[in-house]
Amino acid sequence: MTDLEDGHGDSTGQPDDSAPRCLVTGATGYIGGRLVPALLDAGYRVRALARTPQKLRDYPWADRVEVVRGDVTDPDSLAEAMRGVDVAYYLVHALGTGSTFEKTDREAARTFGEQARAAGVRRIVYLGGLTPAGVPEKDLSPHLRSRAEVGHILLSSKVPTAVLRAAIVIGSGSASFEMLRYLTERLPLMVTPSWVRTRIQPVAVRDVVRYLVGCAALPAGVNRAFDIGGPDVMTYRDMMQRYAAVAGLRPRVILPVPVLTPTLSSRWVGLVTPVPSSIARPLTESLRHEVVCREHDIKEYVPDPPDGTIGFDRALRLALKRIQEARVDTRWSNAAVPGAPSDPLPTDPDWAGGSLYRDEREMAVPVGPEALWRVIEGIGGENGWYSFPLAWAVRGWLDRLVGGVGLRRGRRDAQHLRVGDSLDFWRVEEIVQGELLRLRAEMRVPGLAWLELSVRRDERGRTVYGQRALFHPRGLFGHAYWWSVWPFHSVVFGGMARNIAKAAATEEKRREPVTGSGREPVTDSGTDN
């Protein structure tokens, strides 16, 4: 096993046809996206279930797995996906508020167990949450209670099941790590909720993946839950101070107060960190009670490495190294955001779905298409959006205030994008290398919105930058929203096109200084419709 954070190498060999087949649900998610290559490297055949298979297209292991379309709430698609499967991994959860998500989780788990049994699957492996000792399940947070219920349902499915229960998972890109990182880095002095005194047993993502892979080979008679955690037990306050030490920061001044409820805590986390309150809330709610492993029986079946499980400080160093080297394989934001639109772009010009507003712009750019594409693929995150930064920042803050994802999710990789990546408050819906980047909005808007950036050559051989913003309004408020922001389009979208062209020229000069190129000057033919 390599010394990478997730514990798998770069093998490209195909598993033997006689190897056991594993079905991985949630393959586009944070854990699932790391589990798939680890299973491949361990010699298993892998079938990945995804509601939108296109999202897996650009993963480095995509050509080594069988990708099937399906949903854990759809019995027919599950029955087909489980055909010939030996081990089925359940790595999905509903997100949301109220009782709806608990009902969805419950029904999905029952359907999964029933279809696994009908298909003759020999093992189910589920990653859930570590529950506190001595606390009745009815007193747990809704999300932690739902995770526990899913475990019970799968254990009673009559398919041998291993339920792995973890507290906080530490790894580059995990929501828990991002929350810890940004709280510590941005707040040298902080007034915090009382849960910062709660004892926690975090676990490194590398160990989580190792346990998940190991569970595929458990004896048939094993049908139980296992607590999994690292060697360190500490408070969240200790975690922040130790993060500061590992990251080379001064010790933080932390003042716990009893007045911040889970709702206020999640809003506070949402304002300070890239993790939106919709995801921060289940994380903070789970910290109200002590979450420490009560046993370590998993080592009887999946032995600890010779040097033991990964300690907290080492997990932090591995995660920070990954971030510094821009090698974050998966990120918490890979998963769908509650309430975000998921409808695909209407490609028919005469779309029957109703009004479709457009803002379309084209510019002939005096650079090669490669330089222009590098700027386009590097947009967002630290590079920004090339126009009116204050307007973008304000839009991000407004989105946060109404429970949206805001502008601070950033990027998984500083230079490269793939389908399904989050990009600030956008999601990459399509990318054609060197030609097209299509983003779908995940900010809170009364409708559906997309932004397309493209590169092409015209009949005169010039490089042409294309930019198209599309908005499908929902109701009267949607129409009013479009026309209320329309006056700003020339500043935001017009400035964006001009500045991307300038950035591309700078990029080309930086890489290949050119004099006397004789290319055509930049022209703007933007129109608002």
Side-chain angles (χ1 to χ4, degrees):
M1 190 167 285
T2 63
D3 194 35
L4 299 181
E5 173 198 17
D6 52 8
H8 60 76
D10 296 320
S11 169
T12 57
Q14 294 292 338
D16 187 272
D17 288 343
S18 62
R21 177 180 280 115
C22 297
L23 174 69
V24 178
T25 62
T28 59
Y30 177 70
I31 295 293
R34 298 183 182 220
L35 174 63
V36 168
L39 286 169
L40 290 169
D41 290 346
Y44 292 99
R45 291 179 292 166
V46 176
R47 179 180 293 162
L49 179 78
R51 284 180 295 183
T52 310
Q54 180 77 354
K55 289 183 178 180
L56 292 174
R57 185 193 69 191
D58 298 328
Y59 279 67
W61 40 260
D63 61 347
R64 301 170 60 199
V65 305
E66 179 188 359
V67 179
V68 296
R69 185 187 304 275
D71 191 302
V72 293
T73 62
D74 177 14
D76 292 337
S77 67
L78 271 183
E80 183 62 29
M82 288 186 176
R83 193 185 307 276
V85 165
D86 298 287
V87 181
Y89 286 89
Y90 192 82
L91 303 175
V92 294
H93 287 297
L95 287 172
T97 57
S99 59
T100 304
F101 84 89
E102 292 185 79
K103 180 181 178 182
T104 301
D105 266 349
R106 184 180 307 119
E107 293 177 352
R110 285 175 180 160
T111 302
F112 193 84
E114 290 167 0
Q115 294 305 317
R117 183 185 178 195
V121 172
R122 65 173 179 79
R123 163 128 342 254
I124 293 173
V125 182
Y126 166 60
L127 179 62
L130 185 60
T131 55
V135 178
E137 288 191 2
K138 64 181 179 64
D139 294 333
L140 298 176
S141 70
H143 287 84
L144 199 55
R145 183 173 62 240
S146 181
R147 304 304 187 258
E149 183 182 16
V150 167
H152 296 324
I153 291 171
L154 295 176
L155 285 169
S156 62
S157 66
K158 297 185 179 179
V159 177
T161 297
V163 174
L164 300 184
R165 303 187 298 195
I168 288 179
V169 177
I170 300 297
S172 61
S174 77
S176 295
F177 174 76
E178 294 283 282
M179 190 172 100
L180 172 68
R181 174 190 174 197
Y182 282 92
L183 285 175
T184 308
E185 290 184 353
R186 291 180 171 172
L187 299 175
L189 168 63
M190 61 187 101
V191 175
T192 60
S194 57
W195 50 252
V196 298
R197 299 178 179 142
T198 302
R199 292 204 317 155
I200 309 160
Q201 190 166 353
V203 59
V205 66
R206 177 177 170 182
D207 281 328
V208 173
V209 172
R210 182 175 59 82
Y211 287 133
L212 287 168
V213 173
C215 282
L218 287 176
V222 176
N223 184 65
R224 56 162 293 182
F226 295 95
D227 293 352
I228 59 173
D232 299 306
V233 177
M234 66 198 79
T235 66
Y236 202 88
R237 179 175 184 165
D238 294 335
M239 291 170 61
M240 288 190 285
Q241 296 292 18
R242 287 172 72 166
Y243 178 93
V246 170
L249 305 173
R250 293 181 178 178
R252 277 21 203 165
V253 178
I254 301 171
L255 305 174
V257 296
V259 295
L260 290 180
T261 65
T263 300
L264 290 175
S265 294
S266 62
R267 295 286 185 186
W268 170 65
V269 171
L271 288 173
V272 176
T273 80
V275 181
S277 56
S278 58
I279 294 176
R281 176 154 188 167
L283 294 178
T284 57
E285 284 180 336
S286 67
L287 296 172
R288 289 186 301 164
H289 303 291
E290 180 175 286
V291 277
V292 175
C293 296
R294 297 184 290 276
E295 43 82 11
H296 187 48
D297 296 348
I298 189 69
K299 69 179 179 181
E300 298 176 15
Y301 304 98
V302 185
D304 291 342
D307 56 349
T309 55
I310 296 174
F312 181 71
D313 289 359
R314 185 184 172 205
L316 291 179
R317 286 193 294 270
L318 289 168
L320 290 171
K321 181 180 179 183
R322 279 282 178 128
I323 292 170
Q324 291 163 1
E325 296 176 351
R327 293 191 299 127
V328 180
D329 296 330
T330 60
R331 202 163 175 260
W332 63 269
S333 53
N334 288 44
V337 175
S342 58
D343 303 57
L345 173 71
T347 54
D348 186 348
D350 299 317
W351 186 42
S355 301
L356 188 63
Y357 292 114
R358 297 175 173 86
D359 180 288
E360 300 180 87
R361 299 169 187 273
E362 277 199 348
M363 302 180 72
V365 183
V367 300
E370 296 82 6
L372 179 57
W373 178 252
R374 283 194 293 268
V375 173
I376 289 174
E377 193 174 7
I379 200 167
E382 296 296 326
N383 291 325
W385 292 88
Y386 294 97
S387 71
F388 205 174
L390 180 60
W392 287 92
V394 169
R395 184 65 185 86
W397 277 105
L398 290 175
D399 193 52
R400 283 274 174 159
L401 290 175
V402 296
V405 297
L407 195 66
R408 295 200 308 271
R409 285 192 300 182
R411 302 170 51 109
R412 176 190 59 83
D413 185 288
Q415 296 179 315
H416 304 291
L417 295 172
R418 64 191 183 200
V419 170
D421 273 359
S422 62
L423 181 58
D424 292 329
F425 48 41
W426 304 91
R427 176 82 56 182
V428 178
E429 186 170 271
E430 180 59 278
I431 183 167
V432 180
Q433 282 297 322
E435 298 180 17
L436 172 72
L437 173 63
R438 180 187 301 142
L439 307 174
R440 188 184 73 240
E442 289 191 335
M443 77 281 278
R444 297 293 179 92
V445 291
L448 303 172
W450 296 266
L451 178 64
E452 283 188 344
L453 311 178
S454 63
V455 180
R456 68 177 179 85
R457 291 276 197 182
D458 66 8
E459 65 281 356
R460 298 167 60 182
R462 300 179 302 177
T463 300
V464 177
Y465 168 70
Q467 180 179 295
R468 184 166 72 143
L470 300 172
F471 182 67
H472 171 48
R474 183 171 57 245
L476 183 61
F477 186 53
H479 291 274
Y481 172 82
W482 172 265
W483 291 112
S484 69
V485 299
W486 179 79
F488 301 100
H489 285 186
S490 60
V491 176
V492 175
F493 290 132
M496 183 177 179
R498 290 188 295 272
N499 291 330
I500 284 178
K502 292 177 182 177
T506 301
E507 170 70 10
E508 186 166 77
K509 288 180 181 178
R510 183 178 68 85
R511 293 194 174 227
E512 297 180 27
V514 177
T515 58
S517 65
R519 291 192 175 100
E520 297 289 337
V522 174
T523 58
D524 187 350
S525 58
T527 58
D528 294 328
N529 296 307

